[in-house]
Amino acid sequence: MTTTTLATPTAGPGAPVGLPKTQSSALGHALADSRVLLGRNLKHLLRNPEQFFQAVSLPMILTLLFRYLLGGAFTGGGQAYIDYVLPGLMAISMGFNSTTTVVGVTNDMRSGLVERFRSMPATTPAVLIAHVSAAVLRNMLSLVVMIGVGLAVGFRPHAGVGGWLAAIGFLLLFNITLSWIAALLGVAATTVEGATGLSMILVFVPYLTSAMVPTSTMPAGLRAVVDNQPFTPLIDAVRKLLADAPLGNSVWVALLWWLGILAVTVPYTLRVFERRARKRR
Amino acid sequence: MISEHAIEARGLRKSYGEHKVLSDVDLKVERGTLLALLGPNGAGKTTLVRILATLDTPDGGTAAVVGRDVVTQTAAVRELIGLTSQDAAIDEMLTGRENLVMMGRLFHLPKDAAVARATELLEVFDLADAADKPLSTYSGGMRRRLDIAVSLLGSPPVLFLDEPTTGLDPRSRQALWETIKKLLASGTTILLTTQYLDEADELADRIAVLDGGRIVAEGTADELKRQVGTERLVLRLADAAAVAQALRMTGGTRLDGDRVSVAVDDPGQVRRLLNQAADAGLPVLSVQLHQPTLDDVFLTLTGDSAGEAK
Ligand SMILES: Nc1ncnc2c1ncn2[C@@H]1O[C@H](COP(=O)(O)OP(=O)(O)OP(=O)(O)O)[C@@H](O)[C@H]1O
Ligand SMILES: [Mg+2]
């Protein structure tokens, strides 16, 4: 029969009455939630051999491949080829790494995990922030591996401290922006298979750049495309900064492109995320 | 507005495109009680739970959890509810304990409280032995239990359980029933959807039957059973043609393959029905008289669609 209990309902079986909840501002909670979820993403990285392979072994293999297999045939416009190609390979590896983020985000959207977070007091977009932060860390790991292996096989940057800092700054801006784009693709994909397909954009676009050969060697039509897309000025800027070469305007072009893309992508991704998260799977 | 009702919905409507799922749903769940929501597949049970748990917005009508509006006060509602969805929502690459601690922290428990609460719930749900194994080694029932444990992390006063025992073996089901009873005893309000009528009979203070976008019946199990007659006469028939004929003749409902159940209010009606069957030459194999069950309620109230799905 029905019994009316007006007593304040409290805890579950054996639960301490009135669990202490952390008091914090909305921003404080958002940061804390993102940190908790970043911990989850990092566990995924360590437990998933494919992810680890992609972040560590692939950059190593790419560096060695271009240094020894192709380095004899290609030239880098006066530079040693490894000096020319390494900044391009950095962009290419980060593109590869994005697949993990795209698929991971789609998975969370589809698996019901995001839906569960939405029913909780948690800050739901923290899922994205954690994925992006994990991607940024994964990419930094790849960069360290590439620079280490590169130095071992003849990469000889001439940059001073300022040049290095500027190059690292550019790589970080590119890294963060690319990771947000990956998150956007992950949010936009409706299936995990679709996510894999979409992530190929970030895998292949870095090849359509000055990454491997100077654009002056390309046919005019292709060159027009390659010169005027955001990846080329970014790669050129990093290459010139590391080589301590005259910078020209590539630095400013790169900065404008990537700051602009970042400024558009972050709010747009969050908006699409809110909309998609609401939709029933 | 102070309400005695932990969950209250009025005139809820929801369509997906052209498809009207909820057309006018009223629902009240008193504090500290369990309401079982029954309905055939596709009736809209999950849709209703999703609206009440702030995951979806209704096209019309209002709903509140402990007096907080589920559309305009989502943050307040989310502090008060626990939800176990029909499909498990846990991280496959983490262990059971890691899942609980992570989710506990997302409920904004301090770290050590989250760890302690995880250990406690692993005990309650008989998962202590598997606590530190990856989810890939868990059986379906273990996942289900972990999933329910997650929804209890924040000790919510209001709990939504969408078909919580689907896929559990009888022993796990019993154990979960015991846990649900303990939750009720501690004052938790529960809205549970289920396909198992014995589950509703066992746990529910009140039962609501959702069909055709509306609540078609609501009351205690006994009230609902009385609604479909004091006694049921069950005829077992020889073939499908005979079943069809018997349904036409008696206005009863089809229980399963070859059985037809008819409400009877007095012994005279039993005699009349049997005479009628004999006169029509209906091949009746056996006759049984019993108290109505929730099966009868369900099948009578939700029409033929549920009978087909069985
Ligand atoms: N995203 C969607 N788009 C269109 N129709 C949908 C969507 N989600 C659910 N439906 C439809 O809404 C109806 C109600 O679905 P719901 O899941 O609420 O039913 P249910 O009572 O929970 O069923 P079950 O017992 O199978 O879990 C179904 O007919 C379903 O096909
Ligand atoms: Mg359902």
Side-chain angles (χ1 to χ4, degrees), chain A residues 280-281, chain B residues 16 19 21 39-48 86 162-163 195:
Chain A
R280 190 163 171 185
R281 290 172 288 137
Chain B
Y16 290 113
H19 183 36
V21 180
N41 290 130
K45 301 181 295 295
T46 299
T47 307
L48 179 55
Q86 199 164 350
D162 197 358
E163 301 197 20
Q195 303 282 351

Side-chain angles (χ1 to χ4, degrees), chain A residues 111-187:
Chain A
S111 71
L113 216 62
V114 166
E115 180 165 294
R116 162 154 260 156
F117 296 152
R118 283 185 60 230
S119 78
M120 297 169 34
T123 326
T124 319
V127 179
L128 287 187
I129 294 169
H131 271 293
V132 169
S133 311
V136 169
L137 291 177
R138 237 178 7 243
N139 284 337
M140 294 211 289
L141 182 65
S142 300
L143 291 180
V144 168
V145 167
M146 296 185 96
I147 292 171
V149 174
L151 288 173
V153 297
F155 172 51
R156 292 293 172 263
H158 299 286
V161 177
W164 267 103
L165 286 180
I168 290 169
F170 267 107
L171 288 169
L172 194 64
L173 171 64
F174 176 71
N175 180 356
I176 293 171
T177 309
L178 202 67
S179 302
W180 273 103
I181 297 174
L184 174 61
L185 295 179
V187 169

Side-chain angles (χ1 to χ4, degrees), chain A residues 2 6 57 78 89 98 103 113-114 150 162 168 178 212-213 220 230 252 261 264-265 267:
Chain A
T2 313
L6 286 171
S57 316
L89 295 183
S98 313
V103 173
L113 216 62
V114 166
I168 290 169
L178 202 67
M212 285 176 288
V213 287
W252 299 112
I261 296 173
V264 173
T265 308

Side-chain angles (χ1 to χ4, degrees), chain A residues 1 3-5 9 11 13-15 19-22 29 33 40 44 47 112 115-118 120-121 280, chain B residues 16 30-31 33 46-47 50 55 78 83 89 91 93 98 102 106 108 110 117 120 147 153 155 183 186-187 205:
Chain A
M1 281 311 302
T3 50
T4 313
T5 315
L19 286 170
K21 296 226 173 154
T22 318
H29 276 320
D33 293 348
R40 158 183 181 249
H44 285 190
R47 286 177 198 178
E115 180 165 294
R116 162 154 260 156
F117 296 152
R118 283 185 60 230
M120 297 169 34
R280 190 163 171 185
Chain B
Y16 290 113
E30 240 170 296
R31 289 193 188 210
T33 68
T46 299
T47 307
R50 282 173 47 89
L55 296 179
R78 289 173 188 176
L83 166 69
D91 188 316
M93 295 241 275
E98 285 169 340
M102 174 182 85
L106 294 175
H108 303 146
R117 186 85 176 117
E120 196 181 312
D147 201 36
L153 278 164
S155 305
L183 286 166
S186 71
D205 296 291

Side-chain angles (χ1 to χ4, degrees), chain A residues 179-217:
Chain A
S179 302
W180 273 103
I181 297 174
L184 174 61
L185 295 179
V187 169
T190 45
T191 61
V192 173
E193 291 74 28
T196 314
L198 279 181
S199 66
M200 288 301 127
I201 298 173
L202 297 181
V203 172
F204 283 110
V205 171
Y207 285 97
L208 265 183
T209 62
S210 65
M212 285 176 288
V213 287
T215 59
S216 55
T217 63

Side-chain angles (χ1 to χ4, degrees), chain B residues 16-166:
Chain B
Y16 290 113
E18 292 287 281
H19 183 36
K20 234 186 205 170
V21 180
L22 305 177
S23 49
D24 183 12
V25 170
D26 290 320
L27 197 73
K28 282 178 181 165
V29 187
E30 240 170 296
R31 289 193 188 210
T33 68
L34 186 146
L35 178 97
L37 185 64
L38 298 179
N41 290 130
K45 301 181 295 295
T46 299
T47 307
L48 179 55
V49 167
R50 282 173 47 89
I51 290 172
L52 295 174
T54 75
L55 296 179
D56 217 334
T57 45
D59 299 335
T62 56
V65 172
V66 197
R68 272 69 156 191
D69 190 285
V70 299
V71 177
T72 58
Q73 295 174 284
T74 49
V77 172
R78 289 173 188 176
E79 294 281 350
L80 295 167
I81 60 170
L83 166 69
T84 301
S85 299
Q86 199 164 350
D87 307 306
I90 36 188
D91 188 316
E92 289 294 319
M93 295 241 275
L94 303 184
T95 67
R97 189 191 306 279
E98 285 169 340
N99 262 292
L100 284 168
V101 172
M102 174 182 85
M103 298 287 190
R105 303 213 59 198
L106 294 175
F107 271 108
H108 303 146
L109 302 182
K111 176 128 197 226
D112 36 346
V115 170
R117 186 85 176 117
T119 307
E120 196 181 312
L121 287 167
L122 287 164
E123 283 295 334
V124 172
F125 284 91
D126 199 18
L127 290 167
D129 292 339
D132 298 306
K133 297 198 180 116
L135 266 250
S136 46
T137 67
Y138 278 41
S139 73
M142 291 162 80
R143 273 161 216 262
R144 196 76 201 139
R145 271 156 28 218
L146 183 67
D147 201 36
I148 295 169
V150 169
S151 65
L152 295 179
L153 278 164
S155 305
V158 176
L159 191 60
F160 296 102
L161 300 173
D162 197 358
E163 301 197 20
T165 60
T166 302

